[in-house]
Amino acid sequence: EAMERTDEPTSSLVSSAMGVLRRIFESSDVAVTEPKKVAVSRWGADPYSKGSYSYVAVGASAEDYDELGRPEQSSGGRLLFAGEHTCKEHPDTVGGAVLTGWRSARHALHVMNGDAGDPFDEVFKLVSLEDIVGEDDSD
């Protein structure tokens, strides 16, 4: 669908996105206002974007990936984010994008079903190598 919308006017894309945001926030006290500025990337038509990926910039940390992947609290956890840029364990990979897509889908189902507690998060709850092998006893 994204490739089909490459020629769609920016105003139409913004209107569509704002409609989704207003539906997400309609049951909260958050007012969704018109954006002051928008930027629409058209990666499908950009010959320079092929092979691009996210990376941890100078001064940033891997924790920034976690922060980008957390549900927006003011939406009551209903505005979710996914993509390789939200997975510090598998950044800049298709695998990271898939894992975070599953995470967001599971979270959305959790919210829609009214389930209590936090949904299982396979990305933020990954087992580390240290958890698997334990302490190094080679000394």
Side-chain angles (χ1 to χ4, degrees):
E1 179 181 349
M3 292 300 286
E4 295 169 5
R5 298 181 85 166
T6 300
D7 296 330
E8 188 167 347
T10 297
S11 60
S12 175
L13 294 171
V14 170
S15 177
S16 177
M18 295 304 295
V20 170
L21 286 173
R22 287 191 176 100
R23 284 192 302 277
I24 289 171
F25 287 97
E26 70 186 351
S27 64
S28 73
D29 294 333
V30 176
V32 178
T33 60
E34 290 297 315
K36 294 179 181 178
K37 185 175 180 181
V38 298
V40 176
S41 63
R42 301 186 188 273
W43 288 35
D46 183 351
Y48 301 108
S49 68
K50 295 179 179 163
S52 63
Y53 56 89
S54 64
Y55 66 96
V56 180
V58 173
S61 75
E63 298 304 315
D64 293 332
Y65 283 92
D66 289 347
E67 188 59 33
L68 287 170
R70 286 190 174 80
E72 177 58 40
Q73 292 305 309
S74 64
S75 70
R78 294 175 51 182
L79 180 58
L80 308 170
F81 302 93
E84 50 86 24
H85 65 288
T86 68
C87 184
K88 73 179 176 195
E89 292 80 6
H90 302 282
D92 26 287
T93 67
V94 172
V98 170
L99 280 172
T100 60
W102 288 339
R103 175 189 68 206
S104 290
R106 188 175 353 277
H107 190 102
L109 287 170
H110 185 84
V111 170
M112 290 187 317
N113 290 333
D115 296 335
D118 293 326
F120 174 73
D121 187 337
E122 71 277 345
V123 176
F124 293 131
K125 306 254 192 266
L126 288 175
V127 177
S128 71
L129 182 60
E130 291 80 20
D131 293 335
I132 295 170
V133 298
E135 294 294 320
D136 183 8
D137 298 345
S138 61
D139 294 333

